[in-house]
């Protein structure tokens, strides 16, 4: 009767392994196109050697990126651990012992001093639960790899945006220096007229107040520029960036378009989320298969002797298969429910990631198109105000216009120049955000 039960249980276990074992996943499943695209130095299309140096330094020295890269090593260890669960386990042990043993028919006698043992156990994965756990570890490693590429993309885009901010502040400071120089000329002219008694002191004081306002604005811009340099050094992982005083923006190459489905299929954040979904479902499958009977082969031997060099006085050996049939195990049932819930959470997170990526792409495209149109308008506005400013200064020098009109014109011109620099930086930032939103590489 017992043999019949064992045979039936083994047959059921083998049948379950044939019908319920999940298909194995290939660790190299992500497309070769995605891997190639993830390693493209997309920032070179911005045509900025200083930015190239920043990103090269950051990829090698940024500790945050290094921390993300180390997760791959941790995932490799988890994969090795999962693979090891498929292999037999061999244990050897030896150690001293003390005590006495009493037998009813003989009486007490001393136990041998030394005890040795050896054991071999191997759980045969007839249901496929161990293979499912190994597949889950492989997918977790894939997720760690794509997390690294996503972190690499984020770091490069933040560096690029920060450097564009640096150029913007330098450009605005240069515009303020030009305005300050012009204001100083006006202030010198008014001082001469005031000394000659041709204008009231209030007119000179108004010009001095304008000069102080410009200096205060410049000090604030220098503060923002210095904070940007601190951020740039931090992102680089230390070291001073090159061309810290540059005030001209780079001229990037034209963007090349690719179909949206190709961009999404090679997006590192989506690939990482997809790998997490596969990993979670593999774990749920492993937990479900753990409810089925498990088959194990055991070899065990132990012995005891008075000295290590003596023969065994007492020894025993046993060998044979064992079948574990979980009739009711609340722990395994609870683990299955937990794994299934985690799989549902991973699926929901994947859908949310897709929506977030699509929204980020749409925002970046809208911002880029709008900034390009605004920048074109700002250039025309600046050109018109530059001519108006020149005429206003000539008329003021000739005494044909008032100081108020000159100050108004100067302020409008400076505001337009600053707006143009800000829009130029915003347009480049929108372009960088679009590259990041689409997963990096060339679009």
């Amino acid at each position: 009767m017992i043999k019949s039960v064992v045979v039936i249980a083994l047959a059921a276990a083998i049948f379950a392994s044939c019908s319920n074992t999940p298909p194995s996943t290939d660790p190299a499943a992500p497309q070769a196109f995605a891997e190639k695209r993830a390693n493209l130095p997309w920032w070179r299309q911005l045509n900025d050697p200083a930015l190239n140096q920043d990103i090269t330094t950051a990829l090698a020295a940024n500790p945050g990126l290094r921390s993300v890269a180390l997760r791959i090593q941790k995932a490799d260890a988890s994969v090795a651990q999962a693979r090891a669960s498929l292999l037999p386990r061999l244990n050897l042990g030896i150690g001293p012992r003390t005590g006495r043993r009493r037998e009813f028919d003989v009486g007490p006698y001393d136990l041998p001093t030394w005890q040795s043992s050896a054991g071999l156990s191997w759980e045969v994965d007839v249901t496929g639960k161990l293979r499912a756990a190994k597949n889950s570890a492989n997918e977790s490693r894939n997720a760690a790899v794509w997390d690294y590429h996503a972190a690499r993309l984020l770091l490069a885009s933040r560096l690029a945006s920060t450097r564009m901010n640096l150029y913007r502040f330098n450009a605005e400071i240069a515009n303020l220096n030009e305005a300050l120089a012009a204001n100083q000329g006006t202030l010198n002219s008014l001082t001469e007229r005031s000394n000659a008694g041709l204008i009231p002191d209030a007119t000179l004081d108004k010009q001095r107040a304008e000069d102080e306002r410009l200096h205060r604005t410049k000090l604030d811009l220098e503060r923002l520029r210095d904070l940007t340099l601190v951020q740039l050094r931090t992102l680089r992982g230390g070291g001073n960036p090159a061309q810290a005083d540059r005030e001209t923006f780079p001229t990037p190459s034209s963007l090349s378009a690719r179909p949206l489905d190709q961009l999404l299929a090679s997006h590192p954040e989506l690939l990482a989320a997809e790998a997490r979904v596969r990993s979670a479902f593999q774990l749920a499958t492993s937990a479900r298969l753990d409810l089925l009977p498990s088959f194990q082969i055991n070899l065990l031997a132990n012995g005891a002797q008075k000295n290590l060099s003596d023969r065994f006085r007492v020894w025993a050996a046993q060998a044979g298969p064992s079948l574990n049939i979980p009739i009711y195990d609340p722990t395994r049932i609870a683990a299955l429910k937990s794994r299934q819930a985690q799989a549902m959470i991973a699926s929901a997170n994947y859908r949310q990631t897709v929506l977030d990526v699509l929204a980020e792409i749409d925002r970046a495209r809208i911002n880029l198109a709008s900034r390009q149109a605004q920048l074109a308008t700002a250039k025309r506005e600046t050109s018109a105000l530059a001519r108006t400013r020149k005429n206003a200064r000539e008329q003021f020098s000739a005494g044909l216009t008032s100081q108020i009109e000159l100050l108004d014109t100067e302020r409008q011109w400076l505001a337009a120049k600053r707006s143009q620099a800000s829009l130029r930086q915003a347009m480049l930032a929108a372009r960088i955000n679009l590259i990041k939103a689409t997963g990096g590489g060339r679009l």
Side-chain angles (χ1 to χ4, degrees), residues 95-134:
R97 65 177 182 174
T98 59
R100 305 188 75 189
R101 182 174 177 176
R102 177 181 293 275
E103 298 288 352
F104 289 104
D105 56 346
V106 177
Y109 59 89
D110 293 332
L111 294 174
T113 307
W114 292 91
Q115 180 176 358
S116 304
S117 63
L120 175 68
S121 62
W122 179 28
E123 182 177 355
V124 183
D125 190 25
V126 294
T127 61
K129 67 176 182 180
L130 299 180
R131 290 192 297 274
K134 183 195 70 173

mmCIF file of all heavy atoms in Angstrom, residues 95-134:
data_model
loop_
_atom_site.group_PDB
_atom_site.id
_atom_site.type_symbol
_atom_site.label_atom_id
_atom_site.label_comp_id
_atom_site.label_asym_id
_atom_site.label_seq_id
_atom_site.Cartn_x
_atom_site.Cartn_y
_atom_site.Cartn_z
ATOM 1 N N GLY A 95 33.969 16.416 15.068
ATOM 2 C CA GLY A 95 34.091 17.172 16.293
ATOM 3 C C GLY A 95 34.069 16.278 17.516
ATOM 4 O O GLY A 95 33.617 15.117 17.461
ATOM 5 N N PRO A 96 34.577 16.754 18.648
ATOM 6 C CA PRO A 96 34.575 15.965 19.888
ATOM 7 C C PRO A 96 33.210 16.011 20.562
ATOM 8 O O PRO A 96 32.416 16.920 20.342
ATOM 9 C CB PRO A 96 35.642 16.661 20.739
ATOM 10 C CG PRO A 96 35.603 18.085 20.265
ATOM 11 C CD PRO A 96 35.265 18.032 18.809
ATOM 12 N N ARG A 97 32.968 14.985 21.410
ATOM 13 C CA ARG A 97 31.737 14.970 22.181
ATOM 14 C C ARG A 97 32.011 14.290 23.520
ATOM 15 O O ARG A 97 32.945 13.490 23.655
ATOM 16 C CB ARG A 97 30.623 14.241 21.440
ATOM 17 C CG ARG A 97 30.876 12.759 21.235
ATOM 18 C CD ARG A 97 29.697 12.086 20.569
ATOM 19 N NE ARG A 97 29.939 10.655 20.411
ATOM 20 C CZ ARG A 97 29.027 9.806 19.957
ATOM 21 N NH1 ARG A 97 27.821 10.253 19.624
ATOM 22 N NH2 ARG A 97 29.313 8.526 19.841
ATOM 23 N N THR A 98 31.212 14.618 24.492
ATOM 24 C CA THR A 98 31.329 14.011 25.829
ATOM 25 C C THR A 98 29.953 13.539 26.280
ATOM 26 O O THR A 98 28.927 14.029 25.792
ATOM 27 C CB THR A 98 31.892 15.020 26.841
ATOM 28 O OG1 THR A 98 31.022 16.148 26.892
ATOM 29 C CG2 THR A 98 33.288 15.480 26.452
ATOM 30 N N GLY A 99 29.945 12.606 27.220
ATOM 31 C CA GLY A 99 28.677 12.125 27.757
ATOM 32 C C GLY A 99 28.677 10.616 27.924
ATOM 33 O O GLY A 99 29.633 9.917 27.601
ATOM 34 N N ARG A 100 27.579 10.076 28.443
ATOM 35 C CA ARG A 100 27.414 8.643 28.634
ATOM 36 C C ARG A 100 26.064 8.235 28.077
ATOM 37 O O ARG A 100 25.124 9.025 27.996
ATOM 38 C CB ARG A 100 27.501 8.277 30.119
ATOM 39 C CG ARG A 100 28.770 8.755 30.795
ATOM 40 C CD ARG A 100 28.876 8.186 32.185
ATOM 41 N NE ARG A 100 29.264 6.773 32.145
ATOM 42 C CZ ARG A 100 29.264 5.987 33.209
ATOM 43 N NH1 ARG A 100 28.868 6.441 34.383
ATOM 44 N NH2 ARG A 100 29.641 4.727 33.107
ATOM 45 N N ARG A 101 25.992 6.983 27.704
ATOM 46 C CA ARG A 101 24.748 6.443 27.164
ATOM 47 C C ARG A 101 24.340 5.238 28.005
ATOM 48 O O ARG A 101 25.169 4.411 28.376
ATOM 49 C CB ARG A 101 24.951 6.017 25.706
ATOM 50 C CG ARG A 101 23.690 5.491 25.047
ATOM 51 C CD ARG A 101 23.937 5.246 23.585
ATOM 52 N NE ARG A 101 22.755 4.671 22.941
ATOM 53 C CZ ARG A 101 22.678 4.423 21.645
ATOM 54 N NH1 ARG A 101 23.708 4.706 20.851
ATOM 55 N NH2 ARG A 101 21.583 3.892 21.136
ATOM 56 N N ARG A 102 23.063 5.123 28.303
ATOM 57 C CA ARG A 102 22.557 4.027 29.143
ATOM 58 C C ARG A 102 21.698 3.097 28.291
ATOM 59 O O ARG A 102 20.805 3.541 27.563
ATOM 60 C CB ARG A 102 21.745 4.577 30.316
ATOM 61 C CG ARG A 102 21.130 3.486 31.191
ATOM 62 C CD ARG A 102 20.315 4.113 32.310
ATOM 63 N NE ARG A 102 21.169 4.826 33.232
ATOM 64 C CZ ARG A 102 21.800 4.266 34.256
ATOM 65 N NH1 ARG A 102 21.683 2.957 34.471
ATOM 66 N NH2 ARG A 102 22.561 4.962 35.057
ATOM 67 N N GLU A 103 22.004 1.855 28.354
ATOM 68 C CA GLU A 103 21.184 0.822 27.721
ATOM 69 C C GLU A 103 20.513 0.009 28.826
ATOM 70 O O GLU A 103 21.119 -0.296 29.857
ATOM 71 C CB GLU A 103 22.055 -0.105 26.854
ATOM 72 C CG GLU A 103 22.751 0.579 25.707
ATOM 73 C CD GLU A 103 21.797 0.974 24.592
ATOM 74 O OE1 GLU A 103 20.613 0.580 24.653
ATOM 75 O OE2 GLU A 103 22.230 1.707 23.680
ATOM 76 N N PHE A 104 19.272 -0.383 28.646
ATOM 77 C CA PHE A 104 18.526 -1.081 29.695
ATOM 78 C C PHE A 104 19.072 -2.476 29.971
ATOM 79 O O PHE A 104 19.050 -2.964 31.106
ATOM 80 C CB PHE A 104 17.047 -1.181 29.307
ATOM 81 C CG PHE A 104 16.340 0.133 29.377
ATOM 82 C CD1 PHE A 104 16.047 0.826 28.224
ATOM 83 C CD2 PHE A 104 15.988 0.691 30.603
ATOM 84 C CE1 PHE A 104 15.398 2.034 28.287
ATOM 85 C CE2 PHE A 104 15.338 1.904 30.667
ATOM 86 C CZ PHE A 104 15.037 2.591 29.504
ATOM 87 N N ASP A 105 19.599 -3.088 28.935
ATOM 88 C CA ASP A 105 20.040 -4.460 29.150
ATOM 89 C C ASP A 105 21.502 -4.557 29.580
ATOM 90 O O ASP A 105 21.928 -5.589 30.093
ATOM 91 C CB ASP A 105 19.835 -5.287 27.876
ATOM 92 C CG ASP A 105 20.539 -4.669 26.697
ATOM 93 O OD1 ASP A 105 20.947 -3.484 26.796
ATOM 94 O OD2 ASP A 105 20.680 -5.348 25.657
ATOM 95 N N VAL A 106 22.308 -3.511 29.339
ATOM 96 C CA VAL A 106 23.735 -3.589 29.647
ATOM 97 C C VAL A 106 24.106 -2.625 30.766
ATOM 98 O O VAL A 106 24.835 -2.964 31.686
ATOM 99 C CB VAL A 106 24.572 -3.311 28.384
ATOM 100 C CG1 VAL A 106 26.058 -3.317 28.729
ATOM 101 C CG2 VAL A 106 24.263 -4.342 27.311
ATOM 102 N N GLY A 107 23.599 -1.401 30.696
ATOM 103 C CA GLY A 107 23.994 -0.404 31.674
ATOM 104 C C GLY A 107 24.727 0.745 30.994
ATOM 105 O O GLY A 107 24.924 0.753 29.767
ATOM 106 N N PRO A 108 25.152 1.691 31.749
ATOM 107 C CA PRO A 108 25.800 2.855 31.127
ATOM 108 C C PRO A 108 27.203 2.532 30.641
ATOM 109 O O PRO A 108 27.888 1.676 31.197
ATOM 110 C CB PRO A 108 25.836 3.873 32.269
ATOM 111 C CG PRO A 108 25.847 3.047 33.510
ATOM 112 C CD PRO A 108 25.021 1.818 33.216
ATOM 113 N N TYR A 109 27.575 3.235 29.552
ATOM 114 C CA TYR A 109 28.943 3.116 29.076
ATOM 115 C C TYR A 109 29.323 4.448 28.438
ATOM 116 O O TYR A 109 28.479 5.241 28.019
ATOM 117 C CB TYR A 109 29.100 1.969 28.069
ATOM 118 C CG TYR A 109 28.245 2.090 26.842
ATOM 119 C CD1 TYR A 109 28.703 2.769 25.721
ATOM 120 C CD2 TYR A 109 26.980 1.499 26.802
ATOM 121 C CE1 TYR A 109 27.918 2.879 24.598
ATOM 122 C CE2 TYR A 109 26.198 1.605 25.684
ATOM 123 C CZ TYR A 109 26.655 2.295 24.574
ATOM 124 O OH TYR A 109 25.876 2.406 23.456
ATOM 125 N N ASP A 110 30.648 4.705 28.359
ATOM 126 C CA ASP A 110 31.141 5.970 27.818
ATOM 127 C C ASP A 110 30.947 6.005 26.309
ATOM 128 O O ASP A 110 31.116 4.998 25.605
ATOM 129 C CB ASP A 110 32.626 6.152 28.140
ATOM 130 C CG ASP A 110 32.856 6.334 29.630
ATOM 131 O OD1 ASP A 110 31.925 6.833 30.297
ATOM 132 O OD2 ASP A 110 33.953 5.971 30.093
ATOM 133 N N LEU A 111 30.625 7.220 25.808
ATOM 134 C CA LEU A 111 30.498 7.428 24.370
ATOM 135 C C LEU A 111 31.876 7.654 23.764
ATOM 136 O O LEU A 111 32.778 8.192 24.424
ATOM 137 C CB LEU A 111 29.611 8.646 24.070
ATOM 138 C CG LEU A 111 28.136 8.521 24.480
ATOM 139 C CD1 LEU A 111 27.433 9.850 24.250
ATOM 140 C CD2 LEU A 111 27.452 7.414 23.686
ATOM 141 N N PRO A 112 32.098 7.240 22.519
ATOM 142 C CA PRO A 112 33.374 7.564 21.851
ATOM 143 C C PRO A 112 33.582 9.063 21.789
ATOM 144 O O PRO A 112 32.625 9.847 21.696
ATOM 145 C CB PRO A 112 33.205 6.946 20.467
ATOM 146 C CG PRO A 112 32.160 5.885 20.633
ATOM 147 C CD PRO A 112 31.237 6.398 21.695
ATOM 148 N N THR A 113 34.838 9.455 21.875
ATOM 149 C CA THR A 113 35.156 10.886 21.992
ATOM 150 C C THR A 113 34.886 11.659 20.715
ATOM 151 O O THR A 113 34.402 12.795 20.751
ATOM 152 C CB THR A 113 36.636 11.047 22.393
ATOM 153 O OG1 THR A 113 36.895 10.275 23.558
ATOM 154 C CG2 THR A 113 36.964 12.508 22.645
ATOM 155 N N TRP A 114 35.192 11.063 19.575
ATOM 156 C CA TRP A 114 35.096 11.794 18.310
ATOM 157 C C TRP A 114 33.945 11.263 17.464
ATOM 158 O O TRP A 114 33.710 10.056 17.404
ATOM 159 C CB TRP A 114 36.404 11.666 17.518
ATOM 160 C CG TRP A 114 37.538 12.385 18.187
ATOM 161 C CD1 TRP A 114 38.418 11.873 19.082
ATOM 162 C CD2 TRP A 114 37.871 13.759 18.024
ATOM 163 N NE1 TRP A 114 39.301 12.823 19.513
ATOM 164 C CE2 TRP A 114 38.988 14.014 18.864
ATOM 165 C CE3 TRP A 114 37.357 14.809 17.270
ATOM 166 C CZ2 TRP A 114 39.597 15.254 18.961
ATOM 167 C CZ3 TRP A 114 37.960 16.047 17.361
ATOM 168 C CH2 TRP A 114 39.064 16.267 18.199
ATOM 169 N N GLN A 115 33.255 12.203 16.822
ATOM 170 C CA GLN A 115 32.149 11.838 15.943
ATOM 171 C C GLN A 115 32.370 12.470 14.577
ATOM 172 O O GLN A 115 32.708 13.661 14.479
ATOM 173 C CB GLN A 115 30.806 12.297 16.513
ATOM 174 C CG GLN A 115 29.615 11.929 15.636
ATOM 175 C CD GLN A 115 28.297 12.304 16.278
ATOM 176 O OE1 GLN A 115 28.270 12.799 17.396
ATOM 177 N NE2 GLN A 115 27.207 12.061 15.576
ATOM 178 N N SER A 116 32.168 11.714 13.511
ATOM 179 C CA SER A 116 32.316 12.200 12.136
ATOM 180 C C SER A 116 31.032 11.920 11.374
ATOM 181 O O SER A 116 30.317 10.945 11.663
ATOM 182 C CB SER A 116 33.493 11.509 11.433
ATOM 183 O OG SER A 116 34.686 11.687 12.166
ATOM 184 N N SER A 117 30.759 12.798 10.414
ATOM 185 C CA SER A 117 29.540 12.619 9.630
ATOM 186 C C SER A 117 29.773 13.131 8.221
ATOM 187 O O SER A 117 30.618 13.993 7.970
ATOM 188 C CB SER A 117 28.359 13.356 10.262
ATOM 189 O OG SER A 117 28.591 14.757 10.280
ATOM 190 N N ALA A 118 29.024 12.586 7.306
ATOM 191 C CA ALA A 118 29.053 13.013 5.912
ATOM 192 C C ALA A 118 27.653 12.862 5.349
ATOM 193 O O ALA A 118 26.940 11.896 5.673
ATOM 194 C CB ALA A 118 30.054 12.196 5.097
ATOM 195 N N GLY A 119 27.249 13.828 4.538
ATOM 196 C CA GLY A 119 25.903 13.785 3.978
ATOM 197 C C GLY A 119 25.863 14.353 2.579
ATOM 198 O O GLY A 119 26.567 15.320 2.259
ATOM 199 N N LEU A 120 25.054 13.743 1.763
ATOM 200 C CA LEU A 120 24.818 14.213 0.396
ATOM 201 C C LEU A 120 23.314 14.283 0.188
ATOM 202 O O LEU A 120 22.605 13.291 0.416
ATOM 203 C CB LEU A 120 25.451 13.266 -0.630
ATOM 204 C CG LEU A 120 25.158 13.587 -2.108
ATOM 205 C CD1 LEU A 120 25.830 14.887 -2.513
ATOM 206 C CD2 LEU A 120 25.616 12.437 -3.004
ATOM 207 N N SER A 121 22.847 15.451 -0.222
ATOM 208 C CA SER A 121 21.414 15.625 -0.485
ATOM 209 C C SER A 121 21.235 16.364 -1.799
ATOM 210 O O SER A 121 22.007 17.270 -2.128
ATOM 211 C CB SER A 121 20.749 16.389 0.658
ATOM 212 O OG SER A 121 21.290 17.690 0.779
ATOM 213 N N TRP A 122 20.221 15.979 -2.510
ATOM 214 C CA TRP A 122 19.954 16.589 -3.819
ATOM 215 C C TRP A 122 18.446 16.582 -4.045
ATOM 216 O O TRP A 122 17.815 15.527 -4.124
ATOM 217 C CB TRP A 122 20.667 15.814 -4.926
ATOM 218 C CG TRP A 122 20.426 16.361 -6.303
ATOM 219 C CD1 TRP A 122 20.153 17.646 -6.635
ATOM 220 C CD2 TRP A 122 20.429 15.620 -7.529
ATOM 221 N NE1 TRP A 122 19.993 17.784 -7.990
ATOM 222 C CE2 TRP A 122 20.161 16.553 -8.569
ATOM 223 C CE3 TRP A 122 20.654 14.287 -7.851
ATOM 224 C CZ2 TRP A 122 20.096 16.165 -9.905
ATOM 225 C CZ3 TRP A 122 20.591 13.905 -9.180
ATOM 226 C CH2 TRP A 122 20.317 14.837 -10.196
ATOM 227 N N GLU A 123 17.911 17.784 -4.145
ATOM 228 C CA GLU A 123 16.488 17.911 -4.466
ATOM 229 C C GLU A 123 16.333 17.916 -5.975
ATOM 230 O O GLU A 123 16.779 18.842 -6.656
ATOM 231 C CB GLU A 123 15.900 19.191 -3.861
ATOM 232 C CG GLU A 123 14.412 19.321 -4.137
ATOM 233 C CD GLU A 123 13.793 20.548 -3.473
ATOM 234 O OE1 GLU A 123 14.515 21.235 -2.720
ATOM 235 O OE2 GLU A 123 12.610 20.810 -3.721
ATOM 236 N N VAL A 124 15.705 16.898 -6.496
ATOM 237 C CA VAL A 124 15.486 16.792 -7.932
ATOM 238 C C VAL A 124 14.328 17.707 -8.307
ATOM 239 O O VAL A 124 13.227 17.587 -7.760
ATOM 240 C CB VAL A 124 15.187 15.336 -8.330
ATOM 241 C CG1 VAL A 124 15.029 15.224 -9.847
ATOM 242 C CG2 VAL A 124 16.300 14.417 -7.846
ATOM 243 N N ASP A 125 14.576 18.619 -9.227
ATOM 244 C CA ASP A 125 13.581 19.641 -9.566
ATOM 245 C C ASP A 125 12.563 19.070 -10.554
ATOM 246 O O ASP A 125 12.493 19.472 -11.721
ATOM 247 C CB ASP A 125 14.291 20.867 -10.158
ATOM 248 C CG ASP A 125 13.358 22.052 -10.296
ATOM 249 O OD1 ASP A 125 12.359 22.124 -9.547
ATOM 250 O OD2 ASP A 125 13.614 22.911 -11.165
ATOM 251 N N VAL A 126 11.750 18.143 -10.069
ATOM 252 C CA VAL A 126 10.772 17.515 -10.954
ATOM 253 C C VAL A 126 9.612 18.452 -11.276
ATOM 254 O O VAL A 126 8.978 18.324 -12.323
ATOM 255 C CB VAL A 126 10.247 16.204 -10.324
ATOM 256 C CG1 VAL A 126 11.346 15.167 -10.226
ATOM 257 C CG2 VAL A 126 9.639 16.470 -8.949
ATOM 258 N N THR A 127 9.319 19.392 -10.399
ATOM 259 C CA THR A 127 8.195 20.307 -10.648
ATOM 260 C C THR A 127 8.615 21.570 -11.390
ATOM 261 O O THR A 127 7.785 22.250 -11.962
ATOM 262 C CB THR A 127 7.553 20.725 -9.313
ATOM 263 O OG1 THR A 127 8.531 21.416 -8.515
ATOM 264 C CG2 THR A 127 7.051 19.502 -8.563
ATOM 265 N N GLY A 128 9.893 21.909 -11.380
ATOM 266 C CA GLY A 128 10.365 23.108 -12.060
ATOM 267 C C GLY A 128 10.375 24.353 -11.200
ATOM 268 O O GLY A 128 10.637 25.452 -11.688
ATOM 269 N N LYS A 129 10.141 24.214 -9.894
ATOM 270 C CA LYS A 129 10.102 25.403 -9.039
ATOM 271 C C LYS A 129 11.473 26.043 -8.904
ATOM 272 O O LYS A 129 11.597 27.275 -8.835
ATOM 273 C CB LYS A 129 9.535 25.061 -7.662
ATOM 274 C CG LYS A 129 10.418 24.136 -6.830
ATOM 275 C CD LYS A 129 9.838 23.936 -5.447
ATOM 276 C CE LYS A 129 10.766 23.042 -4.601
ATOM 277 N NZ LYS A 129 10.221 22.831 -3.244
ATOM 278 N N LEU A 130 12.524 25.204 -8.866
ATOM 279 C CA LEU A 130 13.873 25.759 -8.746
ATOM 280 C C LEU A 130 14.293 26.447 -10.033
ATOM 281 O O LEU A 130 14.972 27.486 -10.009
ATOM 282 C CB LEU A 130 14.864 24.656 -8.375
ATOM 283 C CG LEU A 130 14.599 23.943 -7.051
ATOM 284 C CD1 LEU A 130 15.659 22.880 -6.801
ATOM 285 C CD2 LEU A 130 14.560 24.934 -5.892
ATOM 286 N N ARG A 131 13.897 25.888 -11.172
ATOM 287 C CA ARG A 131 14.201 26.542 -12.446
ATOM 288 C C ARG A 131 13.466 27.870 -12.559
ATOM 289 O O ARG A 131 13.994 28.855 -13.093
ATOM 290 C CB ARG A 131 13.842 25.616 -13.607
ATOM 291 C CG ARG A 131 14.747 24.412 -13.741
ATOM 292 C CD ARG A 131 14.527 23.683 -15.069
ATOM 293 N NE ARG A 131 13.160 23.148 -15.166
ATOM 294 C CZ ARG A 131 12.795 21.971 -14.685
ATOM 295 N NH1 ARG A 131 13.688 21.219 -14.051
ATOM 296 N NH2 ARG A 131 11.567 21.533 -14.837
ATOM 297 N N ALA A 132 12.228 27.928 -12.070
ATOM 298 C CA ALA A 132 11.486 29.194 -12.084
ATOM 299 C C ALA A 132 12.174 30.239 -11.212
ATOM 300 O O ALA A 132 12.253 31.416 -11.574
ATOM 301 C CB ALA A 132 10.054 28.962 -11.609
ATOM 302 N N ALA A 133 12.691 29.796 -10.054
ATOM 303 C CA ALA A 133 13.420 30.735 -9.193
ATOM 304 C C ALA A 133 14.693 31.221 -9.872
ATOM 305 O O ALA A 133 15.073 32.396 -9.754
ATOM 306 C CB ALA A 133 13.737 30.066 -7.861
ATOM 307 N N LYS A 134 15.363 30.317 -10.601
ATOM 308 C CA LYS A 134 16.567 30.732 -11.332
ATOM 309 C C LYS A 134 16.216 31.718 -12.441
ATOM 310 O O LYS A 134 16.918 32.724 -12.643
ATOM 311 C CB LYS A 134 17.250 29.504 -11.922
ATOM 312 C CG LYS A 134 18.562 29.812 -12.644
ATOM 313 C CD LYS A 134 19.017 28.672 -13.503
ATOM 314 C CE LYS A 134 18.103 28.520 -14.711
ATOM 315 N NZ LYS A 134 18.599 27.526 -15.684
#
